[in-house]
Amino acid sequence: MSSDAIVEVHDLYKTYRDGLIRRRRIDALRGVSLRIGRGEIFGLLGPNGAGKTTLIKVLLGIVRKTSGEASLMGRAVGDRRSRMRVGFLPENHRFPQHHTGNSALRHFGRLSGMPFSMIAERAPKLLKMVGLAERGDSPVKKYSKGMQQRLGLAQAMMHDPELLVLDEPTDGVDPVGRKEMRVVLERLKGEGKTVFINSHLLQEVELICDRVAILTDGVVRREGPIDQLTQTSQAESTIEVRCEEEIVRAALDSKTILRVEPRGGEVLAITVSAADQTAIDRCIDELRCAGVSIVSLSSPRRTLEDAFLEVVRQQAAGQGPDVVDAEVVS
């Protein structure tokens, strides 16, 4: 296992047996391999039943793997020494209703073996960090779902872990709260912490994560940086110009121009065939030499949601390669 990897998984399998008589075999994980470096925010994506929760449980030592290798901070999963350095926010977590925000953090701090002096120092700072400084003495039972998620993030950070594993951390959090949580996670990354996020909110993942893995049917189908996963193969760009169409057609080769559409006033949108940045630059140079005024330039880019849905549809239709890596994992 690599010394600079805080999470490393290689050819991991997990098989369940269902039923008492026929013992139906359920392959939750089928050869999963991935690596999470120190100080990065990594996102795990996949439809329901993809194996995401099983993978998290294996990493945390809650569920035993069937075969393969998995480590946290250089130690085999389940090792108490590495598990103590992990903060976990489970999906649909619930705090005991008799607690306040402050007493809940004290409770979880003690469960982590923290001394009272450290708990007293960290609890108010964490409540302030997640936007609950004024609600520390309020009963948890009066917290909204979003407030409980914020408190859950605070308890996960209580013992100052090296790795945060967050299962649907922004579920039920309003847009303002999600932005505040992104700021917190960026701050933790700046402090050298590693964050592992499992989420269905693809826009949030795209905004915050450095790299993601898309898991379906227990297999990592694609894995890599956001920019690579959202790249498009379309070799075209749109240039908005202010001039007459005849001037544009005289300036550019007819094979380069794919479409010309009016955008109102004297503005035209020209869709051009451009395989790379050099081709785009050449188009701009030719237009400027013809005295054309450039209004804007845009190239097609798909979202993380587009990439995710493409993978899901391909696998549902039985199309495409079984595993497609955007980045080679060493």
Side-chain angles (χ1 to χ4, degrees), residues 21-288:
I21 301 176
R22 295 188 177 182
R23 304 289 287 168
R24 183 168 62 96
R25 176 187 175 118
I26 301 175
D27 295 317
L29 300 175
R30 301 188 291 122
V32 170
S33 295
L34 58 84
R35 176 184 176 280
I36 304 176
R38 293 180 183 273
E40 73 173 333
I41 302 178
F42 188 93
L44 181 64
L45 308 177
N48 292 333
K52 303 187 303 297
T53 299
T54 297
L55 176 58
I56 288 175
K57 288 181 177 179
V58 169
L59 292 176
L60 295 175
I62 299 172
V63 169
R64 290 185 178 180
K65 60 185 173 62
T66 301
S67 64
E69 299 180 18
S71 71
L72 293 179
M73 289 157 278
R75 300 183 184 277
V77 291
D79 187 293
R80 181 182 178 87
R81 288 166 294 182
S82 60
R83 194 165 55 187
M84 291 292 290
R85 295 151 66 189
V86 178
F88 179 43
L89 172 60
E91 184 182 13
N92 298 321
H93 68 93
R94 293 292 182 270
F95 291 102
Q97 295 296 288
H98 65 279
H99 276 300
T100 64
N102 284 318
S103 66
L105 292 187
R106 287 196 296 268
H107 171 69
F108 283 100
R110 291 303 295 160
L111 289 178
S112 296
M114 296 174 63
F116 286 110
S117 59
M118 186 178 295
I119 293 173
E121 178 184 353
R122 284 188 61 78
K125 293 180 180 179
L126 289 173
L127 287 176
K128 182 179 180 180
M129 184 184 295
V130 299
L132 293 175
E134 306 300 323
R135 303 301 298 269
D137 292 326
S138 300
V140 169
K141 62 183 178 182
K142 293 185 178 181
Y143 279 20
S144 66
K145 177 66 181 296
M147 292 171 64
Q148 293 211 24
Q149 287 296 102
R150 295 187 194 196
L151 183 60
L153 179 60
Q155 70 81 21
M157 297 187 293
M158 191 65 191
H159 59 296
D160 195 23
E162 292 183 47
L163 169 66
L164 276 171
V165 178
L166 309 178
D167 199 353
E168 299 292 349
T170 54
D171 183 30
V173 182
D174 62 32
V176 174
R178 289 200 298 269
K179 181 177 181 180
E180 291 174 348
M181 290 183 76
R182 289 198 302 269
V183 172
V184 172
L185 297 182
E186 288 284 5
R187 173 177 171 179
L188 293 172
K189 175 186 173 182
E191 294 174 358
K193 308 294 186 184
T194 304
V195 184
F196 182 22
I197 299 175
N198 171 32
S199 178
H200 285 97
L201 297 177
L202 301 184
Q203 290 181 334
E204 287 297 307
V205 171
E206 187 169 4
L207 287 172
I208 193 66
C209 290
D210 301 304
R211 294 189 303 122
V212 300
I214 301 177
L215 187 73
T216 66
D217 298 326
V219 177
V220 175
R221 308 293 178 175
R222 293 186 185 175
E223 187 272 333
I226 297 289
D227 289 344
Q228 290 187 20
L229 292 179
T230 55
Q231 281 181 348
T232 177
S233 60
Q234 290 181 287
E236 61 181 56
S237 294
T238 300
I239 306 172
E240 286 191 335
V241 300
R242 184 172 282 108
C243 72
E244 296 179 357
E245 184 173 343
E246 291 77 10
I247 298 176
V248 170
R249 294 195 178 278
L252 299 178
D253 185 276
S254 59
K255 294 181 180 179
T256 301
I257 301 175
L258 300 177
R259 293 181 299 278
V260 177
E261 304 171 14
R263 288 287 172 89
E266 299 178 353
V267 176
L268 297 176
I270 315 162
T271 303
V272 297
S273 175
D276 52 29
Q277 187 62 45
T278 300
I280 295 174
D281 292 342
R282 185 167 55 251
C283 289
I284 296 296
D285 290 342
E286 291 171 350
L287 289 169
R288 292 298 298 137

